[in-house]
Amino acid sequence: MDALEWLGSAMRAARAQLDVATQNLANVSSDGYRRAEARVALTPQGLVTSSGATHEQGAVRTTGRSFDLALLGGGAFRVGRTTTRNGAFTRDRAGWLVDDRGRRLHGERGPLRVSDRATVAADGIVHDGGRIVDRIPLPPGTHILAGALETSTVNAIGETLSILTAQRAFETAQKTLLAIDATREKRSNDIARVQ
């Protein structure tokens, strides 16, 4: 692999690390957000990055609101056509449990519609007026804590350091690339003058 190609891959890897760290820092106060991490691997094609969310459990913050639901373990809540770990739900005017974007929380039978007296048990069973309404699907070993939210797993200081480290790595690779390019250009000009 050519030195310029290798330095280009180093710059792409630093950029990917910077993107992940800035995304993490932007979500430092987003409930249920799990920190992502960028992994760099050395291959014959240069440095290659991949990223994914960590599986750390966020701290639990008590809110006292009955429809705030913290997941203790893996998994996520199904809201609309997507999933989230942010368990901050409220009842809308029609009685649907919705997140801050208005997406409905789904149980095993579909969107959950409850009264203001409904409760959610640790195993995900939703009770309303003495009857079982539905069950929020949970992976094995996961429980729900009602009246609480899982906080973000992002450490702001750590992510700030990751941003600075990625910026320095990018700048170093860029300066080295420019120096090699200048040296090659000078050498080719010197050869042309000699001939």
Side-chain angles (χ1 to χ4, degrees), residues 90-147:
T90 57
R91 268 183 80 250
D92 68 7
R93 291 180 189 169
W96 300 104
L97 288 182
V98 295
D99 67 4
D100 60 348
R101 296 182 187 175
R103 301 175 297 190
R104 294 178 180 168
L105 173 63
H106 285 251
E108 290 176 339
R109 298 182 204 144
L112 289 169
R113 190 174 191 179
V114 296
S115 74
D116 59 350
R117 297 178 315 275
T119 60
V120 180
D123 59 1
I125 294 177
V126 181
H127 298 270
D128 194 356
R131 64 183 178 85
I132 295 175
V133 177
D134 203 344
R135 181 178 181 278
I136 297 171
L138 301 171
T142 298
H143 301 286
I144 291 177
L145 179 60

Side-chain angles (χ1 to χ4, degrees), residues 139-153:
T142 298
H143 301 286
I144 291 177
L145 179 60
L149 291 172
E150 177 187 11
T151 62
S152 173
T153 61

Side-chain angles (χ1 to χ4, degrees), residues 22-38:
T22 54
Q23 177 71 23
N24 284 340
L25 193 56
N27 285 288
V28 72
S29 61
S30 299
D31 289 324
Y33 182 81
R34 285 194 170 175
R35 179 183 165 274
E37 67 182 7

